[in-house]
Amino acid sequence: MFRQEIPRIDSKRRANFDPKRRQFAPEAHTLVEYPHRLNLYDSPPTSEITLEQFEQWAIDRLRILAELETCSFRNKTQTETITHLEPLLRKYLPLSSNSSSSSARPAERQKDHYSHFILRLAFSRTEDLRRRFAKLETSLFRMRFMQDDSRERASFVESLNLEWEAVGEEERAVLAKELIAAGGGYREDARWFKVEWERVPELVESRRVFLKGGKAYVPVREQLSLVVAEFSSQLERGLELTSRALPRLDEDDRLTPILNHLSTHFSTPAFASSTSSDALASSAISAATIPAIAQHFPLCMKHLQTTLATTHHLKHFGRLQYTLFLKGIGLSLDDAIQFWRQSFSSITDDRFNKDYRYNVRHAYGDVGGDANRRGRGYSPFSCQKILIEHHPNTGDAHGCPYRHFSVDNLTSLLQATGVTDRDVLKEVREDVGKSRYHIACNKVFEHTHKAEIKRAKDEEGWGAAELDTIVHPNTYFKRSYLLKNFGQAKAEEGPGDAMEIEGGN
Amino acid sequence: MPHPVSPEVSTPEQEDGGLPDASENEEGQQGDEVASAGEDQMDIESPPMPVVVKEEVRLDDMFDDDDDDDDDDEYGEFPESSVPEIKPEGAQDAPIVTAPSARYSDPEIMYAFYQRLFPFRYLFQWLNHSPSPTNDFGHREFAFTLQNDAYLRYQAFPTADLLRKEILRLNPSRFEIGPVYNTNPRDRKTLRKASHFRPVAKELVFDIDLTDYDEIRTCCDKANICRKCWTFVTMAIKVVDAALRDDFGFQHILWVYSGRRGAHAWVCDKRAREMDDPKRKAIAGYLEVVKGGAQSGKKVNVKRPLHPHLSRSLDILKDHFQSDILEVQDPWRDPTRSDRLLHLLPDRALNDSLRKKWDSSPLRPSTSKWADIDALAKAGASRSLDAKALLEAKQDVVLEYTYPRLDVEVSKKLIHLLKSPFVVHPGTGRVCVPIDPRRLEEFDPLSVPTVTELLGEIDQWGAVGTNGEVAAGDAGGGGEESKAGVARRVQDYEKTRLKPFVDYFKGFVVGLMRDEKGGVGVDGRKIKREKTEEEEDNGGEDRMEF
Ligand SMILES: [Zn+2]
């Protein structure tokens, strides 16, 4: 689904993910067995997978981690996060329990195992990436641990052989009052472990354990914290080791681009791109209807449309950003040429044909080298690309208003498009102040589609998978369009794979 | 209130300005901005000014000074206030105004102080954890605030002597101590990647500031303090000190008067110094009980049964509540303030009868009002009274009025800087002396010596002619001579009221170095060894057993 952003590699060639030659295990052995659904990832994968699997598994896991990060940016509660993630996990990273009869179980566990280690490679390069990766993997682990079948969980914990000192009978009697008070009065606790308090900082922070002389007395029911702490400290150590082993991996010219790509796109959760399904094969989209359907555009494209309508011109990057966006929403090449011709109303046909027509055709892959034609032109820009590349200068209208506008100008622009709610504007200002541009944009989307989203959830059963964070202008359009035209557009969703592969640039 | 003291470490992700970075970076990022805003002029390697600036000090400047003292929050010192506190000298209503005096900011006074009184040697040993120089000291960041308010970060020195020389050369109005870095802070720019420069250790620190008590103290406000409200600091030290020792097992806790209206704690145990930010945050959270700003309703919301830390704290605090709060602060005498008390109580009917009673006798003292609660409850003012809920609400009130109000942000980050012990507070001229927690009740911030008084005491000592010694250098500088000489030479600090404080600090440092060298047994008991040179020097006196 996100393949177009990944460098194409001949999938027939095998990725040798045999760690023996690289950085991991001392010796090769055959297929790893997965007795438990949960995995501490203490032993690296050993068998070969295809390059295609290598990429795809990593991308699928990254998708999950990015959503987790977004949830935490948006201060979602644990329950909200689980609700949000559940459908995505089912889709991208399912993990059945032992009790399930799913025949996919071994494959699921292998994918979970391998994708974790591929991302370790990709994200061990800088301390910042390591820390974020560890944090998100820990959240994922915690979520899965909590949802695990209690018997399977117990057997998993047993298999870990963690060294926890049990609190003896005598000490327990002496400290009975304190232990119960620290446990919130919960009287069912019968067993406690004694660990260095540093191993359970979260229990300490919320005063859920008794502390004495630097030891934390942890009731067995707080096992989750202990296991999670163990998971995260093992992972941190592992990442540290991987980062030291990384230089040796650079020899492999097939893996390096993939890993680089994964890690650069992790600097934002927005590694996704417009996909075929973002184009609506709808007759509603033509040169004539653009101004009307612009109500569904994200702020960046609305601004381009407004600028174009008032000045009858856009500068180079503005044209490029907008042309590709329009291509992405399903505007045909002919319609696109017509649209631009009409919009550039102050110039002659000659000048248009000479200076601009070719560019539009090029963007659509109608002209240009073989690669461009084969790739059907450029892909519409993702938020990531718009945010980072081609910083706008004076007179430019492209870019992301959340990032490239002053706060005052952004506020005016939002107000001009009908966003006047003071709370929303305030939150937008805060998000922008913290460089969370896509969060701000998503908030505006949610605010302006509040009623429709509710209806879609109630009546159409939309869930997190349909309402995940928008990280591409074309997704913004499509979702807005679908929400406002329920029942009509949905059925028409066609294959129109206009921009499956990223072209030049 | 930002605490922006991060170095200008930025990752490529941040630089290319993509989408947001991880949330835990935010604070640091914001900090970077503030810090780097002044970076150009502040982060300079060579001094921008002559050693001594001769400047006429005018009244306006004095108040500027006072302002700056608050502003320095933005550069890294801990907030002694978030409110500018300009108070004309001699304001009638203030009990004791610790007003600035022109003389304290006189560069010559500061120079003399550093030259003759500042205990560089012990400061070095304290941070170095051993008599001979290590990276614990050499890679430690110092930050100087110069007399012209330029701020120099990332200073580092291999030895005590080099630190002393530079301080005498720059003659800063004060300086701060930051973390130990993985490399010499002066070399940070030569690293291939900025992200390779990172803090690795620092004492766990706490900041108690009386301005955080303004809504509950009635005697003073803002920068002003008196003995009455100092008891808030006393209570805070007792509670935090007990938790750090009993619960976390720390032993080397240095309490320091911040020079005006609060106190700092430096937890120096190796285990504390090596904690990462999440662990610091965990301790800060463990200790934080009073939450919410001025407008938030009930500020203490703790679950029952009370966690052992909280029941112990209540035990420590309840007597103080009776005397220092109810009697001395008398927080609810004023009818508008007693509404605040009613707001914290759960039973409506009881509140109605209390209000009625208090309306009929306005200005009824807080002690009586507090007693009225139980009296009316017993008399059956409310038929539906939940006695347990009332008791718990009263416990919460006690905590709200006595429990430490810590600026927890200060404690959460390894990278924060904190004003060094023994520097002079530019606003009050008082030296930031250590507070002995065993003699906590005796500590009186208003009789802490000022720099001018101390220098006067040196002069006086000479004038009286007690002895004919030559003035020695900085405190602790003459340790060796003292052993060699027949008549021990008297150090300058020993001629002044600074002596007990330096002696206490010396003892503290000896205890710390001993544990560092000998290690601490698993059960927290010190491992027996032979006495070190320092202990001999110290007369073998074991000052540090708490
Ligand atoms: Zn006072």
Side-chain angles (χ1 to χ4, degrees):
Chain A
M1 178 172 197
F2 312 107
R3 212 155 302 162
Q4 67 289 340
E5 291 238 334
I6 296 290
R8 304 305 305 174
I9 294 170
D10 183 359
S11 60
K12 301 249 165 43
R13 292 169 65 197
R14 313 286 288 184
N16 189 337
F17 197 53
D18 176 357
K20 180 178 61 166
R21 253 186 48 220
R22 313 255 168 253
Q23 68 283 350
F24 297 121
E27 57 190 30
H29 50 91
T30 47
L31 202 68
V32 187
E33 289 240 307
Y34 301 102
H36 306 285
R37 175 174 171 266
L38 296 166
N39 193 334
L40 270 201
Y41 309 112
D42 42 6
S43 51
T46 49
S47 36
E48 293 193 352
I49 56 171
T50 65
L51 264 182
E52 190 158 60
Q53 286 170 321
F54 185 92
E55 307 176 11
Q56 193 56 51
W57 291 359
I59 290 169
D60 286 350
R61 191 180 195 90
L62 194 51
R63 171 99 217 169
I64 298 295
L65 297 187
E67 280 302 327
L68 267 172
E69 187 165 62
T70 308
C71 287
S72 106
F73 281 156
R74 306 190 71 173
N75 295 320
K76 293 209 178 197
T77 64
Q78 178 90 35
T79 324
E80 286 166 348
T81 306
I82 290 175
T83 319
H84 183 77
L85 262 294
E86 223 156 1
L88 296 168
L89 277 169
R90 259 200 310 278
K91 187 166 173 189
Y92 297 111
L93 209 56
L95 209 49
S96 320
S97 65
N98 287 350
S99 53
S100 93
S101 52
S102 166
S103 59
R105 200 173 66 209
E108 287 172 1
R109 291 181 185 184
Q110 189 193 20
K111 177 176 175 183
D112 177 61
H113 182 207
Y114 280 57
S115 60
H116 170 90
F117 273 94
I118 298 167
L119 293 192
R120 263 197 202 191
L121 285 177
F123 299 127
S124 58
R125 301 167 181 242
T126 71
E127 194 179 337
D128 178 53
L129 283 174
R130 287 197 293 274
R131 201 176 53 231
R132 289 170 64 193
F133 178 68
K135 188 176 159 197
L136 294 171
E137 279 286 335
T138 304
S139 310
L140 178 62
F141 178 83
R142 184 204 312 272
M143 220 166 95
R144 286 169 162 178
F145 188 88
M146 286 167 65
Q147 291 176 321
D148 209 14
D149 171 275
S150 65
R151 204 159 353 124
E152 288 180 34
R153 180 167 58 201
S155 107
F156 169 71
V157 171
E158 199 143 318
S159 75
L160 300 178
N161 286 322
L162 301 174
E163 286 167 12
W164 297 337
E165 184 189 344
V167 175
E169 193 62 48
E170 204 172 306
E171 188 174 16
R172 216 169 69 199
V174 174
L175 297 175
K177 193 169 143 249
E178 284 83 358
L179 289 174
I180 285 173
Y186 190 77
R187 290 179 178 277
E188 313 305 310
D189 286 327
R191 289 196 300 139
W192 282 265
F193 296 116
K194 210 175 358 174
V195 297
E196 304 289 325
W197 76 264
E198 287 94 336
R199 284 180 61 181
V200 286
E202 52 185 302
L203 295 181
V204 170
E205 183 168 357
S206 50
R207 289 192 293 269
R208 295 213 303 279
V209 283
F210 173 60
L211 286 181
K212 187 168 163 253
K215 296 269 192 204
Y217 290 66
V218 185
V220 172
R221 89 192 125 86
E222 297 283 12
Q223 213 174 37
L224 168 67
S225 290
L226 283 169
V227 177
V228 168
E230 190 60 35
F231 177 87
S232 100
S233 71
Q234 278 202 21
L235 177 54
E236 279 160 26
R237 276 199 305 275
L239 284 168
E240 195 69 45
L241 288 175
T242 312
S243 78
R244 272 181 244 155
L246 262 188
R248 274 179 285 153
L249 190 76
D250 288 343
E251 301 157 19
D252 194 323
D253 56 356
R254 295 165 307 150
L255 299 189
T256 309
I258 302 180
L259 294 173
N260 283 341
H261 180 82
L262 290 168
S263 61
T264 37
H265 282 244
F266 191 53
S267 62
T268 142
F271 52 85
S273 163
S274 170
T275 66
S276 54
S277 61
D278 279 333
L280 294 169
S282 169
S283 53
I285 293 161
S286 69
T289 57
I290 298 290
I293 59 169
Q295 53 161 315
H296 299 297
F297 292 1
L299 201 58
C300 50
M301 303 302 170
K302 271 188 189 145
H303 179 59
L304 285 168
Q305 173 59 30
T306 313
T307 311
L308 180 60
T310 47
T311 66
H312 313 297
H313 188 76
L314 285 179
K315 289 185 152 193
H316 174 74
F317 286 118
R319 291 197 308 272
L320 186 61
Q321 180 175 328
Y322 200 35
T323 303
L324 295 174
F325 170 75
L326 294 175
K327 179 173 85 160
I329 70 172
L331 191 70
S332 70
L333 174 59
D334 287 348
D335 267 325
I337 289 173
Q338 195 193 338
F339 171 76
W340 286 105
R341 176 63 279 242
Q342 287 164 355
S343 300
F344 280 28
S345 57
S346 53
I347 60 165
T348 61
D349 280 344
D350 263 3
R351 170 115 194 270
F352 180 81
N353 289 336
K354 195 160 127 268
D355 291 349
Y356 302 110
R357 178 188 288 269
Y358 184 85
N359 287 342
V360 177
R361 290 177 61 203
H362 194 273
Y364 271 75
D366 194 45
V367 289
D370 278 354
N372 192 46
R373 285 163 174 271
R374 238 192 343 264
R376 297 179 207 174
Y378 301 104
S379 291
F381 291 168
S382 66
C383 295
Q384 153 93 2
K385 198 170 169 101
I386 293 171
L387 283 168
I388 293 176
E389 293 178 14
H390 313 306
H391 197 280
N393 292 316
T394 325
D396 281 335
H398 70 275
C400 169
Y402 296 97
R403 161 144 200 202
H404 298 122
F405 276 33
S406 73
V407 171
D408 286 346
N409 288 344
L410 172 62
T411 308
S412 319
L413 180 61
L414 281 168
Q415 282 165 338
T417 61
V419 180
T420 50
D421 187 289
R422 283 177 55 196
D423 290 337
V424 172
L425 291 173
K426 184 166 157 277
E427 286 180 38
V428 164
R429 277 195 294 274
E430 285 168 7
D431 285 331
V432 167
K434 291 175 179 169
S435 307
R436 298 175 178 178
Y437 311 110
H438 72 307
I439 302 269
C441 186
N442 274 274
K443 271 191 190 142
V444 167
F445 183 93
E446 281 165 26
H447 174 67
T448 50
H449 296 80
K450 214 182 312 173
E452 291 81 4
I453 290 174
K454 189 176 179 312
R455 202 182 56 216
K457 281 181 172 167
D458 294 348
E459 294 172 19
E460 304 287 326
W462 277 31
E466 287 80 17
L467 292 166
D468 58 350
T469 310
I470 297 171
V471 291
H472 198 293
N474 288 84
T475 316
Y476 188 108
F477 168 77
K478 185 192 174 191
R479 191 175 300 171
S480 172
Y481 191 87
L482 287 177
L483 283 168
K484 303 253 175 179
N485 298 280
F486 238 114
Q488 309 156 28
K490 205 167 185 241
E492 298 174 33
E493 197 178 312
D497 50 339
M499 65 298 284
E500 188 156 341
I501 299 163
E502 180 156 275
N505 64 82
Chain B
M1 161 74 33
H3 297 282
V5 199
S6 329
E8 64 312 34
V9 174
S10 60
T11 63
E13 287 76 25
Q14 287 163 355
E15 271 158 13
D16 72 22
L19 280 163
D21 210 318
S23 53
E24 63 225 52
N25 261 6
E26 275 159 42
E27 233 179 297
Q29 252 176 300
Q30 288 171 343
D32 287 345
E33 279 157 33
V34 182
S36 59
E39 185 85 12
D40 286 350
Q41 88 221 34
M42 287 171 357
D43 184 24
I44 30 184
E45 303 293 345
S46 56
M49 55 164 302
V51 174
V52 175
V53 182
K54 295 271 180 199
E55 254 182 358
E56 207 183 329
V57 180
R58 293 174 301 118
L59 192 65
D60 305 1
D61 293 340
M62 281 160 34
F63 292 129
D64 282 352
D65 235 359
D66 205 14
D67 245 353
D68 291 339
D69 186 41
D70 296 315
D71 283 351
D72 62 18
D73 298 352
E74 280 163 39
Y75 299 125
E77 202 216 4
F78 293 105
E80 305 232 321
S81 159
S82 53
V83 191
E85 46 184 68
I86 298 169
K87 193 142 203 164
E89 228 173 327
Q92 294 298 312
D93 51 338
I96 297 170
V97 182
T98 48
S101 154
R103 294 192 301 163
Y104 305 137
S105 49
D106 184 336
E108 285 174 39
I109 298 254
M110 287 310 300
Y111 187 85
F113 173 73
Y114 289 128
Q115 190 190 31
R116 306 188 63 174
L117 289 169
F118 195 92
F120 285 106
R121 182 180 166 204
Y122 303 128
L123 185 87
F124 163 80
Q125 292 177 343
W126 171 50
L127 298 173
N128 189 61
H129 315 112
S130 139
S132 48
T134 68
N135 285 344
D136 278 10
F137 187 80
H139 290 181
R140 173 77 79 152
E141 176 185 2
F142 290 87
F144 300 140
T145 304
L146 303 187
Q147 308 271 351
N148 66 357
D149 279 328
Y151 186 65
L152 301 182
R153 286 203 54 187
Y154 303 117
Q155 308 298 301
F157 307 92
T159 65
D161 200 44
L162 289 170
L163 170 67
R164 179 173 184 268
K165 279 201 179 111
E166 185 70 349
I167 284 184
L168 289 175
R169 191 175 72 85
L170 295 173
N171 199 22
S173 58
R174 59 183 178 276
F175 64 91
E176 288 152 22
I177 298 173
V180 179
Y181 284 89
N182 59 335
T183 180
N184 190 322
R186 290 185 187 272
D187 299 337
R188 71 195 184 285
K189 289 196 170 144
T190 64
L191 292 177
R192 214 154 38 83
K193 280 191 189 160
S195 58
H196 290 171
F197 179 64
R198 58 189 168 82
V200 292
K202 198 195 67 191
E203 292 73 13
L204 169 67
V205 296
F206 293 95
D207 181 24
I208 301 161
D209 189 310
L210 277 175
T211 48
D212 293 328
Y213 290 76
D214 276 357
E215 53 172 13
I216 53 170
R217 61 173 175 158
T218 56
C219 51
C220 314
D221 67 352
K222 296 177 182 163
N224 307 307
I225 64 159
C226 66
R227 289 180 185 94
K228 290 179 187 172
C229 51
W230 183 257
T231 54
F232 283 113
V233 177
T234 303
M235 290 184 254
I237 293 179
K238 282 186 185 175
V239 167
V240 173
D241 198 73
L244 292 173
R245 288 177 206 278
D246 300 349
D247 302 353
F248 292 95
F250 296 129
Q251 299 179 38
H252 301 283
I253 304 164
L254 182 69
W255 289 96
V256 181
Y257 176 47
S258 67
R260 175 177 274 173
R261 61 199 165 199
H264 299 154
W266 298 78
V267 186
C268 307
D269 298 58
K270 195 178 177 80
R271 189 169 170 185
R273 299 202 308 270
E274 290 174 350
M275 295 191 304
D276 57 12
D277 285 348
K279 292 186 186 85
R280 287 167 202 261
K281 179 169 164 281
I283 296 189
Y286 182 83
L287 293 174
E288 187 179 28
V289 168
V290 184
K291 292 179 185 170
Q295 302 313 318
S296 62
K298 200 164 177 290
K299 292 199 173 66
V300 172
N301 293 291
V302 290
K303 55 181 193 218
R304 298 302 193 286
L306 285 176
H307 185 277
H309 161 60
L310 293 178
S311 18
R312 176 194 48 219
S313 300
L314 260 187
D315 280 345
I316 295 173
L317 295 167
K318 62 188 178 206
D319 292 345
H320 282 289
F321 180 76
Q322 198 61 41
S323 55
D324 298 318
I325 303 300
L326 294 183
E327 287 166 28
V328 176
Q329 291 289 332
D330 198 359
W332 308 306
R333 175 186 281 269
D334 185 318
T336 56
R337 281 178 174 253
S338 57
D339 261 6
R340 170 90 192 129
L341 171 59
L342 291 175
H343 183 72
L344 298 173
L345 298 176
D347 192 283
R348 226 204 191 141
L350 177 63
N351 283 0
D352 287 344
S353 353
L354 284 169
R355 193 173 286 115
K356 216 160 115 200
K357 185 174 174 94
W358 298 346
D359 280 350
S360 68
S361 63
L363 303 185
R364 191 169 162 80
S366 300
T367 310
S368 314
K369 281 177 174 165
W370 183 249
D372 290 342
I373 300 172
D374 281 349
L376 289 191
K378 232 173 240 163
S382 166
R383 260 178 292 170
S384 59
L385 185 77
D386 178 344
K388 186 163 167 284
L390 182 63
L391 174 72
E392 290 173 0
K394 285 181 67 190
Q395 287 176 334
D396 290 352
V397 171
V398 173
L399 289 172
E400 180 161 336
Y401 281 80
T402 55
Y403 189 88
R405 298 179 173 219
L406 301 168
D407 184 350
V408 287
E409 295 308 316
V410 169
S411 307
K412 287 180 184 172
K413 299 264 178 192
L414 191 56
I415 209 153
H416 273 303
L417 294 99
L418 189 62
K419 193 160 61 181
S420 168
F422 289 103
V423 304
V424 172
H425 189 290
T428 64
R430 297 195 198 285
V431 179
C432 300
V433 294
I435 302 171
D436 183 347
R438 294 165 306 176
R439 302 202 186 90
L440 190 54
E441 312 274 356
E442 298 161 28
F443 184 83
D444 175 10
L446 301 173
S447 54
V448 167
T450 64
V451 59
T452 39
E453 287 165 6
L454 291 170
L455 293 172
E457 286 165 18
I458 300 180
D459 289 345
Q460 206 119 41
W461 197 87
V464 178
T466 328
N467 240 319
E469 282 94 356
V470 187
D474 67 87
E480 277 159 45
E481 291 100 301
S482 72
K483 252 183 281 174
V486 180
R488 188 175 163 281
R489 195 176 67 171
V490 177
Q491 307 280 306
D492 274 341
Y493 81 89
E494 294 178 291
K495 302 169 186 169
T496 70
R497 283 188 291 144
L498 201 56
K499 181 175 189 307
F501 300 108
V502 173
D503 285 345
Y504 170 78
F505 185 54
K506 184 159 81 175
F508 178 87
V509 173
V510 167
L512 177 63
M513 286 200 299
R514 185 178 49 208
D515 269 2
E516 207 79 17
K517 199 167 164 191
V520 178
V522 203
D523 58 355
R525 272 200 312 250
K526 286 167 191 127
I527 292 162
K528 284 204 177 106
R529 311 168 296 99
E530 289 188 16
K531 281 181 184 167
T532 61
E533 196 182 311
E534 285 72 32
E535 284 166 281
E536 300 285 357
D537 197 28
N538 197 23
E541 189 181 345
D542 193 356
R543 297 174 162 274
M544 293 316 302
E545 295 296 348
F546 287 107

